[in-house]
């Protein structure tokens, strides 16, 4: 036991003391914050300049006037500078060419064309260089929609006031409320994003630290230090010390991130206040995340179990090869097991409780990602969670037993590439 | 008292017999030469002693008992394949291996300091191993081998890659350890290297014990009642008058004189010296190399 501890300590310190580890541990949160903050900053920069939009209105229905009025309202913070361009039917093709040139030369941000038969077709065209500006497009579309719907009702000659009509025509909004034992929470989609991020984190860290174990094993082999070590330590002790040590590095990294994350979340308001902007609607606002404690607990459980399962297998791969290039082929099946859950994640998210989702999430190699995902997006029965944990534990015991046998022989084998037959023979060795 | 005893040890890899019913005893406090050509099974034997691999059958006893993890702590092992952690600091490496051998921190630190000073490496203690030259790395590896002040030291090809000065330093330390009552196993295929240091030798070939005994006895056993006579340029000796002489071989610059038995050797020698201009003579003793070749080729047994 003492020897496992010594190995563990060496593995742990050897990584934790490196500059790479310290920098990546500290920089990752900075990077995450940057991802959140930069869109806000970009939004902020745009407020300085209202967008210039030309409108060609051939409808004779005063649509331009109403659009102009609404687009200039206080509601839109960046604001729009709207003016009218008038072309008669003959001038129209040439006029459009002119406007397009103005868009290309950035005199205009875009222009809107409303045809004469708008009430029948219900279709307007917006020309812009930047077609991904969803905000502006959405605004124009919504306002035009409102105006034209009212105009259509007006055609029916009903005696209803505009305000009343507008109210009647308000679109229906729907709130999504997640029902769970802890209570109800309004889901604005962030649950979805958080689950995705967390599952990706589990995937990435299992892969990262699994490969770390692989590298460690190969390095001990290629530097030939292995023989000296296993003349002092049983291969099983070395294997355990190594896996535990590197796993502990992973947990350390998470602990640092958690502390930094909590500090950050508690100080989001002051932070954004100091930077001089407020969270933008539709942007990513960290303060709206309320992650229940259970998610962290499950995250830890599934990371640890997943890491154990995969890192033992990575250790086996490392013991079977002489260098990292050779390892690439052998680790392909492992990477497949890791990647498949990520690929089928959207499917599981749509139907978290279907039979196939349940079965896939119980498969021990997928559980770290898929069962954790199901816990986040739905409420799988507790027995299923326990079952997946149990199955993973059983697989870990089985894998460790098998891997210890392969590892014991493999670490002393040089030169010869092991095939399946060799490995079966290694396992049978006394 | 035997520190190490192997009886009927076998190890096969598939159809290849690496070690074939090997038995030998090693007396405590002796220097033991485990000799044989490449691939004779030396390293496999050592790995079985170190419990790195398990024998298919047979017993290996250390001080009369089966080897356990605890008793392994009293062995120091220098593997043929050298290598430590290249990215670790010298001090950390030595501390790590000392601690693995069950030595407490304080003692480990004291011994590390002592040996680094002794081998003139104290200025490198905070450097990463990869910053050191190959020869220095070898010395660090040697320190790692003896950091636990082992009762039994197993050195597998200890002098490969060492310059003459470092070789002498290591040999001095080994002699010193022997004088302190430690037992030492030299495993090598370069027999001249250890001929002068060994008390006892074991020759193995194809995994089998082909010659085993105290070095002096082995040498005596293979001495061929012969001596060499070096003469002046034009010197000639007529050996026909000596009844005890069996035959003479004329070599380049000297004569090899084979006797019928070793009883008359004194008389013959003194007579020759009296009558002929002899510059030098010596008893002819076969080297271990010669003995080995003889035994393997089955000429003498």
């Amino acid at each position: 036991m003492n020897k496992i501890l010594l190995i563990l300590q060496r593995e742990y310190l050897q990584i934790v003391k490196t500059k790479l580890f310290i920098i990546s541990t500290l920089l990752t949160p900075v990077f995450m914050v940057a991802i959140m903050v930069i869109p806000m900053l970009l939004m902020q920069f745009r407020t300085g300049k209202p967008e210039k939009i030309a409108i060609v209105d051939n409808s004779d229905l005063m649509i331009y006037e109403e659009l102009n009025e609404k687009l200039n309202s206080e509601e839109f913070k960046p604001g729009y500078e709207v003016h009218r361009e008038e072309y008669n039917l003959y001038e129209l093709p040439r006029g459009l060419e002119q406007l397009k040139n103005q868009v290309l030369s950035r005199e205009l941000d875009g222009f809107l064309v409303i045809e004469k038969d708008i009430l029948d077709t219900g279709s307007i065209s917006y020309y812009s260089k930047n077609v991904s500006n969803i905000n502006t497009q959405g605004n124009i579309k919504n306002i035009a929609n409102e105006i034209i719907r009212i105009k259509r009702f007006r055609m029916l000659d009903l005696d209803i006031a505009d305000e009343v009509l507008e109210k009647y025509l308000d679109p229906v909004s729907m709130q999504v409320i997640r029902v769970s034992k802890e209570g109800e929470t309004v889901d604005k989609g962030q649950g979805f994003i958080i689950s995705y991020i967390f599952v990706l984190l589990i995937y990435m860290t299992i892969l990262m630290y699994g490969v770390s174990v692989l590298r460690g094993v190969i390095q001990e082999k290629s530097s030939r230090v292995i023989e000296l070590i296993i003349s002092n330590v049983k291969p099983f002790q070395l294997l355990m010390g190594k896996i535990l040590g590197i796993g502990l590095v992973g947990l350390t990294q998470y602990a640092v991130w958690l502390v930094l994350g909590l500090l950050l979340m508690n100080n989001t308001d002051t932070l954004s206040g100091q930077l001089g902007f407020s969270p933008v609607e539709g942007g990513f606002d960290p303060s709206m995340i309320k992650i229940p404690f259970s998610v962290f607990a499950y995250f830890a459980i599934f990371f640890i179990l997943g890491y154990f399962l995969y890192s033992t297998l990575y250790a086996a791969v490392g013991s079977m090869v002489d260098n990292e290039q050779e390892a690439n082929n052998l680790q392909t099946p492992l990477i497949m097991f890791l990647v498949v859950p990520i690929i089928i994640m959207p499917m599981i998210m749509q139907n978290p409780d279907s039979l196939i989702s349940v079965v896939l999430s119980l498969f021990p190699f997928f559980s770290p990602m898929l069962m954790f995902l199901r816990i986040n997006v739905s409420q799988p029965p507790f027995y299923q969670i326990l079952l997946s944990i149990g199955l993973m534990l059983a697989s870990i015991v089985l894998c460790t037993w098998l891997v210890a046998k392969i590892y014991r022989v493999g670490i002393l084998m040089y030169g010869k590439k092991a095939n399946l037959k060799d490995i079966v023979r290694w396992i049978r060795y006394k | 008292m035997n520190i190490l005893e192997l009886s009927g040890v076998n190890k096969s890899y598939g159809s290849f017999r690496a070690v074939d019913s090997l038995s030998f005893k090693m007396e405590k406090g002796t220097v033991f030469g485990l000799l044989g050509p490449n691939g004779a099974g030396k390293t496999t034997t050592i790995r079985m002693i170190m419990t790195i691999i398990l024998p298919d059958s047979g017993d290996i006893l250390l001080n009369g008992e089966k080897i356990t993890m605890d008793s392994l702590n009293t062995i120091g092992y220098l593997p043929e394949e050298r290598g430590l952690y290249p990215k670790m600091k010298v001090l950390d490496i030595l501390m790590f291996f000392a601690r693995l051998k069950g030595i407490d921190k304080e003692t480990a630190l004291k011994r590390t300091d002592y040996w680094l000073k002794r081998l003139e490496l104290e200025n490198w203690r905070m450097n990463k191993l990869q910053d050191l030259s190959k020869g220095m790395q070898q010395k660090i590896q040697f320190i790692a081998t003896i950091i636990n002040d082992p009762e039994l030291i197993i050195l597998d090809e200890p002098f490969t890659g060492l310059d003459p000065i470092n070789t002498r330093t290591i040999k001095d330390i080994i002699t010193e350890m022997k004088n302190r009552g430690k037992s030492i196993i030299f495993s090598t295929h370069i027999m001249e290297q250890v001929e002068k240091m060994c008390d006892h030798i074991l020759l193995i070939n194809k995994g089998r014990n082909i010659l085993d005994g105290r070095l002096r006895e082995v040498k005596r056993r293979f001495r061929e009642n012969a001596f060499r006579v070096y003469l002046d340029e034009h010197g000639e000796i007529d050996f026909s008058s000596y009844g005890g002489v069996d035959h003479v071989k004329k070599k380049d610059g000297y004569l090899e004189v084979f006797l019928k038995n070793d009883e008359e050797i004194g008389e013959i020698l003194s007579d020759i010296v009296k009558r002929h201009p002899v510059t030098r003579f010596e008893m002819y003793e076969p080297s271990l190399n010669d003995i080995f070749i003889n035994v393997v080729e089955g000429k003498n047994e």
Side-chain angles (χ1 to χ4, degrees), chain A residues 256-300:
Chain A
V256 173
W257 288 347
L258 186 66
V259 169
L260 287 178
L262 288 178
L263 280 177
L264 204 75
M265 273 184 206
N266 286 337
N267 295 312
T268 320
D269 296 341
T270 32
L271 186 73
S272 27
Q274 274 167 1
L275 287 174
F277 55 80
S278 51
V280 180
E281 186 69 30
F284 191 70
D285 177 6
S287 62
M288 63 184 192
I289 308 166
K290 293 278 180 287
I291 305 166
F293 173 74
S294 64
V295 171
F296 285 112
Y298 279 124
F299 183 86

Side-chain angles (χ1 to χ4, degrees), chain A residues 3 220 223 227 229 232, chain B residues 47 77 83 85 88 100-101:
Chain A
K3 289 192 174 178
E220 279 177 351
S223 73
E227 186 157 353
I229 295 179
N232 292 304
Chain B
R47 281 184 176 172
Y77 173 40
Y85 292 105
M88 263 175 105
L100 275 188
K101 287 279 186 192

Side-chain angles (χ1 to χ4, degrees), chain A residues 3 6-7 10 14 17 220 223-225 227-234 237 412 429-430, chain B residues 47 50 52 55-56 69 72-73 77 79 81-85 88 92 96-97 99-101 141:
Chain A
K3 289 192 174 178
L6 280 167
I7 303 275
R10 198 201 75 82
Q14 203 199 5
K17 281 201 292 195
E220 279 177 351
S223 73
R224 314 274 160 159
V225 72
E227 186 157 353
L228 193 56
I229 295 179
I230 56 167
S231 69
N232 292 304
V233 182
K234 289 203 185 86
Q237 293 175 315
L412 287 171
Y429 272 154
K430 197 169 47 163
Chain B
R47 281 184 176 172
M50 294 311 293
I52 292 169
D56 297 335
M69 262 296 158
L72 271 180
N73 282 349
Y77 173 40
E81 301 276 12
R82 309 294 147 71
L84 297 165
Y85 292 105
M88 263 175 105
D92 291 343
F96 174 64
F97 282 106
R99 303 273 287 130
L100 275 188
K101 287 279 186 192
Q141 183 112 33

Side-chain angles (χ1 to χ4, degrees), chain B residues 179-222:
Chain B
N179 293 338
R180 283 175 52 213
K182 311 289 187 190
S183 315
I184 293 135
I185 295 180
F186 269 118
S187 165
T188 181
H189 68 281
I190 308 165
M191 305 188 195
E192 309 87 81
Q193 229 175 31
V194 292
E195 219 179 316
K196 293 201 179 75
M197 301 184 78
C198 290
D199 303 309
H200 193 114
I201 57 156
L202 168 67
L203 279 179
I204 62 172
N205 190 37
K206 293 180 181 160
R208 247 174 272 159
N209 177 344
I210 57 170
L211 183 63
D212 181 14
R214 296 192 70 82
L215 184 65
R216 239 180 281 163
E217 284 161 23
V218 170
K219 287 243 172 172
R220 196 179 303 143
R221 182 142 46 111
F222 285 85

Side-chain angles (χ1 to χ4, degrees), chain A residues 144-170:
Chain A
N145 191 18
E146 215 173 280
I147 295 168
I148 287 160
R149 272 200 276 183
I150 292 173
K151 295 244 179 267
R152 280 178 174 160
F153 273 93
R154 283 276 159 259
M155 302 279 289
L156 298 175
D157 244 353
L158 299 172
D159 188 21
I160 309 171
D162 274 7
E163 296 81 51
V164 180
L165 249 185
E166 258 176 58
K167 211 181 151 206
Y168 282 175
L169 290 173
D170 255 357

